Amino acid sequence: MTDAPREASENAAAARRPEMRVRPTAPIVPPANVSGRALMFVIAIMAFLACLTFGAVTMVRATAASWQSQISREITIQIKPDDNLDMETALKDARDLALTFSGTRGGTIVDKTATARLLEPWLGEGLDIDELPVPRLVIITIDEQSPPDFAAMRKALSEAIPQASLDDHRTWVDRLVAMARTTAFIGTGVLVLVFSAMVLTVVFATRGALSGNRHIVEVLHFVGAEASFVASEFQKHFLMISLKGSFAGGFLAALFFAIAGFWQGRSIATPQSDQATALFGSFSMGLTGYLGIAATIVVIALLTTLTARFTVMRTIHEIDLIRSDPSRTDQLPDS
């Protein structure tokens, strides 16, 4: 009976006692002190330039390869007009003779309407092909992997139809291959320079952002935090900064190519689109280009993160050297 009043008083005191609440933990590296906004903008700009260069190189190489493939898939038989020659019969005979060779897939005779269309830029509209000594063409599609014997085909055509001549486009293919290789080499060189500038910029910008927050590293180290723990905290912080910046730059570059491709597709057969296509080819990068942009984003994030980790570890090492021998302060390299 005597314990009941005591228990009641203890319960009342417990009820009056304020409830214990756990204070939310703040991040080890305060975002207000290491905001990294300038670093984020630098990373975004360099990521945009790197992704833009990579996409341009990929686009040029794909366009050159497409041109080379288109030229390599076809050969042309040209038949010159002659008074004693039945042109239509000669065109059919030349096509049939070419298709007898292994490695050919099909043949198409360029009719009078198509021939007149080819000559319109130079001779104007309303041409009458029958009144002009215009050569006629036969286009033969060949197998790129196992092409026919062009020398034997040329000899057979000249014997059957003296007015016929075969053009296998070897000269144009060789020139196009040389141009494609030169363009790809120049583009790759520019890409290497841009990536080198990006690496240096990101590394120095990261070190600059960390040098302004050396006191945070010193405080954490002096209170007993391990070097790996301090480095991991800064590493996480700068990883988020680099991911935001690189993703923004890569997204803008991908958006640029997507918008350019959409505009090119919507403005087909217009002077602006034709000139852009002639100069740059198709703005479609394909899966390889977008995967390259994603890889660039990952590389930039890794570079920033590793730079932050190495810089923090180096700072802690310098602090330990100063604590062990204060006279070494002047001998330490600048951060």
Side-chain angles (χ1 to χ4, degrees):
M1 296 296 292
T2 57
D3 293 337
R6 183 182 300 174
E7 291 179 359
S9 62
E10 290 179 355
N11 292 334
R16 291 192 301 268
R17 188 180 304 160
E19 183 180 356
M20 298 293 292
R21 294 183 179 180
V22 179
R23 180 180 298 176
T25 58
I28 300 297
V29 182
N33 292 338
V34 192
S35 61
R37 292 181 181 177
L39 177 61
M40 188 185 301
F41 284 126
V42 169
I43 292 175
I45 292 172
M46 297 309 298
F48 175 76
L49 294 177
C51 293
L52 198 65
T53 307
F54 181 85
V57 172
T58 304
M59 183 181 67
V60 170
R61 295 184 65 176
T63 302
S66 176
W67 288 346
Q68 179 181 346
S69 177
Q70 290 175 2
I71 293 179
S72 301
R73 283 200 303 264
E74 295 178 348
I75 59 176
T76 303
I77 300 174
Q78 177 180 276
I79 301 179
K80 298 179 181 180
D82 191 277
D83 294 337
N84 300 323
L85 179 68
D86 185 352
M87 180 61 73
E88 298 300 327
T89 302
L91 290 171
K92 294 179 181 179
D93 293 342
R95 180 192 60 186
D96 296 339
L97 178 59
L99 293 179
T100 59
F101 287 82
S102 60
T104 57
R105 292 184 173 180
T108 303
I109 297 175
V110 180
D111 57 18
K112 296 180 180 180
T113 304
T115 303
R117 248 190 337 262
L118 291 174
L119 297 175
E120 281 182 5
W122 293 273
L123 302 180
E125 299 179 358
L127 294 177
D128 188 357
I129 299 299
D130 295 331
E131 297 180 358
L132 297 174
V134 177
R136 299 287 300 278
L137 301 176
V138 178
I139 299 176
I140 305 297
T141 305
I142 64 175
D143 186 359
E144 296 179 66
Q145 305 300 324
S146 57
D149 187 349
F150 295 120
M153 185 184 296
R154 186 176 288 107
K155 181 179 179 182
L157 284 171
S158 62
E159 292 176 353
I161 308 173
Q163 296 82 359
S165 60
L166 176 66
D167 184 4
D168 57 3
H169 309 307
R170 291 298 97 188
T171 302
W172 294 105
V173 170
D174 294 340
R175 290 181 181 179
L176 187 58
V177 169
M179 183 199 71
R181 290 177 179 175
T182 303
T183 305
F185 178 77
I186 295 174
T188 304
V190 174
L191 183 62
V192 170
L193 292 176
V194 171
F195 264 92
S196 301
M198 178 196 69
V199 170
L200 294 175
T201 304
V202 170
V203 168
F204 283 108
T206 305
R207 291 184 61 185
L210 276 170
S211 64
N213 297 273
R214 182 188 177 100
H215 60 284
I216 299 178
V217 180
E218 294 176 350
V219 170
L220 292 174
H221 185 56
F222 286 151
V223 298
E226 295 182 358
S228 59
F229 173 77
V230 178
S232 65
E233 292 299 318
F234 276 89
Q235 184 175 318
K236 294 176 185 177
H237 182 80
F238 280 93
L239 175 61
M240 294 304 300
I241 292 177
S242 60
L243 282 177
K244 292 178 182 177
S246 59
F247 180 80
F251 176 77
L252 289 176
L255 184 64
F256 170 80
F257 285 108
I259 293 176
F262 177 78
W263 169 81
Q264 191 177 45
R266 292 293 299 272
S267 57
I268 296 176
T270 61
Q272 296 85 355
S273 178
D274 292 342
Q275 289 297 328
T277 304
L279 289 174
F280 306 107
S282 175
F283 283 99
S284 177
M285 291 190 302
L287 181 61
T288 304
Y290 290 104
L291 288 178
I293 290 178
T296 303
I297 294 174
V298 174
V299 169
I300 294 175
L302 289 177
L303 277 174
T304 307
T305 305
L306 292 176
T307 303
R309 182 176 184 85
F310 291 152
T311 304
V312 171
M313 297 296 290
R314 179 186 176 187
T315 302
I316 293 176
H317 177 67
E318 293 175 359
I319 294 172
D320 291 336
L321 287 179
I322 295 174
R323 292 179 63 185
S324 62
D325 186 2
S327 63
R328 295 186 179 182
T329 304
D330 297 335
Q331 300 177 7
L332 293 177
D334 297 332
S335 298

